[in-house]
Every structure is written in C-alpha cells, then in structure tokens.
Amino acid sequence: MENTNIISLTGRIDTSNASEWEQKIMQQLSAEKENVFDASKLEYISSAGLRVLIKARKKLSCEMRIFDVSPEVYDIFEMTGFTELFKIEKRIREISVDGCEIIGKGFYGTVYRIDPETIVKVYNTPDSIPIIKNEQRLARCAFVKGIPTAISYDVVKVGDSYGSVFELLKASSFNDHLINEPEDFDGLMKKYVEFLKVVHSAEMDAGTIPMARDVFIGYLDAVKEYLTDEQTEKLRKLLSAMPDDLHVIHGDFQMKNVMLVNDEPMLIDMETIATGQPIFDLQALYVTYCAFSEDCPDNLSSFLGIPDDLGEPIWNAIIENYFDNTEKKDLPAINDKIRLLATVRFLYLLAVTDLKKGELGEKRIQRSKSHIEELLGKVDSFII
C-alpha cells in the first residue's frame, strides 16, 4: 500500500457540507500516488457530493477507485452513472458457514450448502478475489455459448477467506447419485459422458479463454527437474504439434463438478475451462479416478466419498462411452496417450503443491517418472 493514498469518506456528503469536503479532499490528493477513496463509513452522498468527486478526478486526470461501498450508496453511484466514471467496489457481505453441509472439496476450496437453494464455494487463500472474478468471467463466456453452468451472483467474505455464491435449486452432483444409487451405475455413467460430449461440442471465440495446449506447455517448466532434457523436449514437441482448437474443455470434469438440476446436467467450478481437444478433459479424469489412487488406495473414499474399488470401473465406463464408435483394438493406444498427458499433469500437481512432500509424495514422483519413461516410448502424438 506504499504507493496508495487512501482518502476516507464518512457520514453524509450533501449540499450542507460539500464545500468543506471539496477543500478536505483537494488537500489530501497526491500527484505521486494512486488516490483511492474508502467509503466504508459513507452513509449517503448527494449530487453536490458527487460533483466534488468529479472535480477531484479532473484535477489529476486519472481513474480513481472507491471501495467498500454500501449497497445503498452503490445504488446512488450506479443510478447516476458514476460506475462508468470511477472504479467502484461494492462492500462484500460477510457470512458464516458454521454448521453448513460440505458438499465438495478440491484443491482450490470447499463448497458448502448454506440453504436449500444456495451454495458457496470458499477458496483456500485469502487473496482469492481475482480468482473468483476470473471464474465468473469464464462461466459467463461458457454460458453464452450454450453450456449449462451455474454463474456466481455474489462474492462474500467467510472468516479470513472469500467465497463465490451460486443458486442451485435442489441440485445434487453425479457423485452424490453414484453414492446413493450404485445400482444405476451404467445409466449414470452413460448420461455423464453424454454431457461431457455436449460440452466438447461447444466452441469459443478465439482469444476468449486460454488454450489447454499452451497451459500444458507451461507445465513443463515446473516438472522438468524430474525429467531428462530429452523427455522434456519430446513432450514439448508432442504438445506443440497439436493444432489450435476452440472447443470447450472444462479441465476438472469429475462427478462432483457436474450437478443435476431437475434431472438436467449443469457444470460448476469453471476456473479451469480452456479450449482444446477432448484428451485434455480425459486426462484430468484419469488423474482423479486412477492416478491419485495408485499409491494411495483409499484416495477415492477420502476425497470423493465413493468406494475405492470404483476407480477402475469408472475409468473404463468413461472410455467405453466416450469412444463408443471406436474399435476396441484402438482403445489401448488411446489410453496410453491419455495416461501420458495425465501423468504430466499429475507430476505438475505434485511439483507445485505440498503433495510432493513425505514418503507418499516421493512414491508418486518416482512412479510418475517411470510412467513417463514407459509411455514416451509408445506415444508419438496426443491427437486421439
């Protein structure tokens, strides 16, 4: 905050005291720092007060930010067009998730049901507002392209963290159905994979969201310490050879992130969406249902709440349903390509998190290195 000059706006600013506020603000303006208005104690502002802020903006000829604005004052700014002149940040309401049902956990945060119609995803890090806003943007991009997805309508503060609020009327995930209706495994998997294909059929406009290929090329910098130079270079060439593709990739299509709302599938957790070929979603599913369990047999029950022996059947059902028009003799080669890409991502997750620590982390790293060595001898393309 060394380069920020914070000017506090308090009480009521109207015709009775506008001239006093003008003098006070003009004296506090800094030509060397970013001038920011703290509206946390501002109760009301009239047109006279608004004119004072416009004068301050004109004096320095630069954009100014007003933060922690109450809903009532924000309505005034919005109604008068001030939201187009200033960067105005509405006050974030605070909520508690004490006693709320946890309906999902992931790398980035925990999802709670706060009432029958609403869920909130609370992020792990206190500086998560940029992540939340980016996810909201990505979700809107997907929504306008016809992908059923829940869009956050509010940002809230939960203790020292922040959360994103969604309305999901009587929603339950495919993961819930898998737990509660194991006898419908085949039908559930068929519906789940059909929806995956629907998502993959949508196309984004160029430059709207990242390309998965380029994201994976970036992963190589994080994992190269575990690989030989030759292995890193071959992986880079295989990824670089993949053509531009604007089809949507969710990036984390595990069954916890696919909800059923009135029996219709809907996506949540949109921060990982990108564009690319289907292998980029399939590799993530392999990581979820197979890679994590390889050296940790109880991973599925502890992370997803499903029986640990379901990992292989789930993966086989995904492959068989997704490639239902492919000859069975071709599936092992496709599986090798997916496994290789999945191992690169799994090794990346180990490299950039605490998962690499301890005996289990070391086992996972060594096994991943062995898989990459084996599969690079078989795979000459990531196109499936």
Side-chain angles (χ1 to χ4, degrees):
M1 301 289 284
E2 292 181 2
N3 295 319
T4 303
N5 177 42
I6 299 177
I7 302 171
S8 297
L9 305 174
T10 60
R12 297 174 63 88
I13 304 178
D14 52 30
T15 52
S16 66
N17 60 6
S19 60
E20 296 172 18
W21 271 103
E22 180 177 346
Q23 184 178 7
K24 184 189 302 186
I25 289 172
M26 294 303 178
Q27 289 175 347
Q28 293 184 56
L29 288 176
S30 170
E32 289 78 32
K33 297 182 178 182
E34 177 191 10
N35 294 278
V36 176
F37 293 100
D38 177 357
S40 58
K41 296 181 180 179
L42 180 63
E43 300 170 4
Y44 172 79
I45 187 166
S46 71
S47 58
L50 296 177
R51 286 193 292 272
V52 170
L53 296 180
I54 290 175
K55 287 181 182 178
R57 184 175 182 270
K58 286 183 175 179
K59 180 178 180 180
L60 295 180
S61 301
C62 62
E63 182 183 57
M64 292 185 179
R65 180 165 63 94
I66 307 174
F67 71 94
D68 207 2
V69 179
S70 72
E72 296 78 15
V73 174
Y74 186 88
D75 287 343
I76 296 172
F77 285 138
E78 188 172 45
M79 186 170 52
T80 56
F82 249 61
T83 51
E84 298 177 15
L85 299 175
F86 288 76
K87 185 178 180 181
I88 299 178
E89 300 170 4
K90 191 186 292 188
R91 180 175 303 157
I92 297 176
R93 66 186 177 101
E94 297 186 23
I95 68 168
S96 171
V97 293
D98 291 345
C100 292
E101 174 193 2
I102 295 176
I103 62 174
K105 281 187 176 182
F107 277 108
Y108 301 100
T110 303
V111 181
Y112 299 86
R113 185 177 296 284
I114 53 179
D115 61 47
E117 300 181 350
T118 314
I119 66 172
V120 59
K121 178 180 178 182
V122 181
Y123 287 75
N124 295 330
T125 56
D127 55 346
S128 55
I129 287 184
I131 299 173
I132 293 173
K133 290 184 176 179
N134 185 57
E135 182 177 356
Q136 289 175 327
R137 181 187 71 82
L138 294 173
R140 286 192 293 268
C141 289
F143 186 79
V144 299
K145 290 299 182 179
I147 298 175
T149 181
I151 298 178
S152 168
Y153 66 86
D154 196 10
V155 178
V156 294
K157 190 170 185 182
V158 186
D160 294 329
S161 300
Y162 293 92
S164 193
V165 182
F166 303 83
E167 183 180 44
L168 285 174
L169 300 176
K170 299 179 180 177
S172 55
S173 70
F174 271 83
N175 200 72
D176 296 329
H177 285 267
L178 190 65
I179 295 169
N180 298 323
E181 303 161 26
E183 70 282 356
D184 192 32
F185 178 84
D186 291 340
L188 191 68
M189 293 305 302
K190 183 176 177 61
K191 188 169 188 174
Y192 170 68
V193 176
E194 282 176 353
F195 184 53
L196 177 59
K197 290 182 179 181
V198 169
V199 173
H200 290 171
S201 68
E203 292 188 67
M204 302 299 294
D205 298 327
T208 307
I209 59 178
M211 283 195 177
R213 175 200 63 201
D214 299 336
V215 173
F216 267 74
I217 290 173
Y219 288 170
L220 296 180
D221 289 334
V223 303
K224 64 184 180 182
E225 65 177 291
Y226 303 111
L227 305 174
T228 66
D229 291 343
E230 291 77 14
Q231 289 172 334
T232 303
E233 186 57 28
K234 183 170 182 181
L235 287 167
R236 193 182 305 278
K237 286 181 178 178
L238 290 175
L239 287 164
S240 300
M242 300 184 77
D244 290 353
D245 192 325
L246 296 177
H247 288 90
V248 172
I249 299 299
H250 180 265
D252 192 14
F253 204 85
Q254 60 170 286
M255 283 183 270
K256 285 197 308 181
N257 291 335
V258 188
M259 312 298 289
L260 281 168
V261 183
N262 296 323
D263 206 37
E264 292 297 323
M266 175 182 288
L267 280 172
I268 62 172
D269 263 14
M270 302 296 285
E271 73 256 25
T272 55
I273 71 166
T275 62
Q277 299 190 358
I279 191 172
F280 289 107
D281 259 338
L282 295 170
Q283 65 78 26
L285 292 174
Y286 184 87
V287 170
T288 297
Y289 295 108
C290 299
F292 270 109
S293 300
E294 200 166 11
D295 289 302
C296 183
D298 65 348
N299 179 77
L300 290 178
S301 57
S302 60
F303 184 63
L304 298 176
I306 62 177
D308 291 304
D309 60 2
L310 269 185
E312 187 175 348
I314 287 172
W315 177 246
N316 289 337
I318 290 171
I319 291 297
E320 289 168 8
N321 281 283
Y322 199 93
F323 298 101
D324 53 349
N325 293 320
T326 301
E327 292 189 29
K328 285 194 174 182
K329 66 179 180 63
D330 296 326
L331 292 182
I334 291 173
N335 206 47
D336 284 342
K337 294 180 181 186
I338 296 169
R339 285 180 59 219
L340 177 56
L341 199 61
T343 307
V344 171
R345 178 169 175 266
F346 189 52
L347 191 56
Y348 169 78
L349 293 175
L350 296 172
V352 300
T353 69
D354 288 341
L355 290 171
K356 63 177 171 288
K357 295 181 177 179
E359 185 179 345
L360 177 59
E362 184 58 33
K363 278 185 180 179
R364 284 170 160 168
I365 289 171
Q366 292 305 319
R367 192 181 293 272
S368 296
K369 291 168 64 175
S370 296
H371 286 331
I372 288 174
E373 182 177 5
E374 172 212 347
L375 292 166
L376 270 176
K378 299 179 181 180
V379 174
D380 57 8
S381 169
F382 281 133
I383 298 173
I384 56 177

